[in-house]
Amino acid sequence: MRINIKILTLMMAVIVLLSLIGTGCGASSAIQEEMFPADTPAAEAPAYNESVEKEMDYASAESAATEEMAEAGAADYINTPPMERKIIKSSYIELGIETGQFQDTLFEITRLAEQHGGFVSNSESYSNAEGMLTSGRATIRVPSDRFDQVLDIIKAMGTVNNISMSGQDVTEEYVDLESRLRNLKVQEEVLLDLMEQSKSVEDSIQVQRELSNVQGEIEVLQGRLNYLDNLVSFSTIEVYLTEPTTVRESSSWGFFDALKRGARGAVRVFNGLISGIIIMSPIVVFLAIIGVIIWAIVRSVKRRRQRKKE
C-alpha cells in the first residue's frame, strides 16, 4: 500500500509538470480532479499520511530497539569480565558450654555479630525444671568475608558437639536475571519514546499497557536480584547452646523420703483391699444367702427328728 502511494505521487508530479509546460494550469486541474474526486474529504489524505508516518515511526523504533539490545548483548559478552561467583554460605553448630554460662555466651555471640558488621536475626531461650535459662539458639547474619573468622571465634566459646556448613552457588541464576533485566530496561526506554510520539489516545493507551507489563517484570526481577544479593553478602550462622545436665545427690539419710514412700505404699495396699472387697461383695452376698438357706434346712430337719423321737 505504501509503494502504490509513492508511485502515484510520482506520477502525479510528472503529469502536473508536463501539463504546466504543454497546456497550462487547466489540464493540471483536470488531472487533480480526476485523481482526487470532489466528494473525498479534505482531511482524508493528510490523515492517511500521518498514519503511514506513525507506522514508520513504530517500525523504526522497534528496529532500533532490536539493534540496541543485540549490540548491548554482544558488547556485554565481549567486554564484560568474568563475574565473581555468587555463593550463599550458611552453617549450623551445636556448642556445649559450662554450667551457668548460657546467658553470658548468648550475649557474647550477639555482640560478636554486631562487631563484625552483622546482626541477630532470631534467638530463642529455654529454661530447665528450676526455671533457669540453660539452653537455646541464636541465628546471626554476618558479612560473607567475615564468615570463617566469626565461625572460628564461636567454636572457641565451648565444646563443639556438631557442626555443618553449606554453600549454594547462584551465579547462573544471577547472570540470567541481570541479562533479562537489561533487555527489559531497553524495552522500557523504547516504549517511553513511543509514548512521547503518540498522537492519539488509542495509541497512548496501547503503549501504556505494554509499558506497565514491562515495568512490572522489571520490579519482579529487581526484587529477586536484591534478595540474592542479600543472601550472598550476609552469611547465616545458627548456633545452638546447651549447658550440661547435672544429677544432684541428696545429702540427708532419706528418713522422711522413706517414710513418705512407706505411707504411699500402705495407702496403695488399703486402696487395693477396698477395691477387692467392693468387687467381691456381690459374690459374698450370694454365698451368704445360700449358707443361710442351707442352715435353715438343716435346722428344720433336726427339729423334725427330735419330735419323732419324743
Side-chain angles (χ1 to χ4, degrees):
M1 207 48 203
R2 296 177 185 173
I3 298 176
N4 294 335
I5 292 297
K6 292 180 179 180
I7 295 174
L8 184 60
T9 305
L10 181 60
M11 291 176 61
M12 288 172 56
V14 173
I15 293 173
V16 169
L17 182 59
L18 292 177
S19 300
L20 290 174
I21 295 173
T23 59
C25 297
S28 175
S29 300
I31 294 173
Q32 289 180 3
E33 184 178 358
E34 181 180 357
M35 299 303 298
F36 295 97
D39 56 351
T40 302
E44 181 177 354
Y48 183 78
N49 291 334
E50 289 181 1
S51 64
V52 171
E53 292 178 358
K54 188 186 301 180
E55 292 179 1
M56 294 176 64
D57 291 339
Y58 282 115
S60 61
E62 183 178 0
S63 177
T66 303
E67 293 178 0
E68 186 175 353
M69 286 186 290
E71 292 176 358
D76 292 338
Y77 181 78
I78 295 173
N79 300 325
T80 302
M83 176 179 289
E84 183 181 357
R85 307 300 297 181
K86 300 290 184 179
I87 308 296
I88 300 175
K89 298 179 182 179
S90 61
S91 176
Y92 173 79
I93 179 172
E94 293 182 1
L95 202 65
I97 55 178
E98 296 181 1
T99 303
Q101 296 297 318
F102 170 74
Q103 293 184 350
D104 293 338
T105 306
L106 185 63
F107 176 75
E108 187 67 21
I109 292 175
T110 302
R111 187 172 61 180
L112 178 66
E114 295 175 351
Q115 288 177 347
H116 288 79
F119 58 93
V120 177
S121 63
N122 184 29
S123 65
E124 298 177 356
S125 301
Y126 311 104
S127 60
N128 57 9
E130 298 177 355
M132 302 295 293
L133 296 176
T134 57
S135 62
R137 67 181 68 248
T139 303
I140 62 176
R141 303 286 306 280
V142 295
S144 57
D145 56 348
R146 305 286 183 90
F147 175 76
D148 295 332
Q149 180 182 358
V150 172
L151 190 60
D152 291 339
I153 296 175
I154 292 176
K155 289 191 292 185
M157 292 181 180
T159 303
V160 178
N161 298 325
N162 184 21
I163 184 172
S164 62
M165 294 190 299
S166 63
Q168 181 182 359
D169 190 349
V170 295
T171 307
E172 183 177 356
E173 180 184 1
Y174 196 91
V175 172
D176 179 66
L177 291 174
E178 281 190 331
S179 177
R180 291 166 57 189
L181 185 61
R182 285 194 298 268
N183 292 337
L184 287 174
K185 286 184 177 180
V186 171
Q187 294 181 27
E188 182 185 25
E189 294 178 0
V190 172
L191 291 173
L192 289 173
D193 293 338
L194 292 178
M195 177 69 70
E196 295 179 356
Q197 299 174 10
S198 299
K199 299 180 181 180
S200 65
V201 177
E202 181 180 358
D203 293 337
S204 298
I205 294 175
Q206 183 177 0
V207 175
Q208 181 63 40
R209 186 183 301 113
E210 295 296 330
L211 182 62
S212 299
N213 294 335
V214 171
Q215 290 176 342
E217 294 181 9
I218 289 176
E219 291 179 0
V220 172
L221 294 182
Q222 189 63 57
R224 179 62 180 175
L225 281 174
N226 294 340
Y227 176 73
L228 292 179
D229 279 333
N230 180 267
L231 292 179
V232 171
S233 301
F234 286 85
S235 301
T236 303
I237 302 178
E238 183 178 357
V239 186
Y240 179 76
L241 303 173
T242 178
E243 296 181 2
T245 56
T246 57
V247 179
R248 297 184 178 181
E249 297 182 356
S250 178
S251 58
S252 62
W253 291 353
F255 174 76
F256 292 103
D257 292 337
L259 187 60
K260 290 179 181 179
R261 289 194 297 269
R264 290 173 183 172
V267 170
R268 284 196 295 269
V269 172
F270 180 75
N271 291 336
L273 292 175
I274 296 298
S275 298
I277 292 172
I278 293 174
I279 293 173
M280 297 295 295
S281 59
I283 300 175
V284 172
V285 171
F286 179 75
L287 293 177
I289 293 173
I290 294 176
V292 170
I293 294 173
I294 294 174
W295 176 79
I297 294 173
V298 172
R299 185 177 180 183
S300 176
V301 171
K302 287 182 178 181
R303 286 180 179 180
R304 290 177 181 177
R305 291 178 179 178
Q306 290 179 356
R307 290 176 182 177
K308 288 179 179 181
K309 291 179 179 179
E310 292 177 357

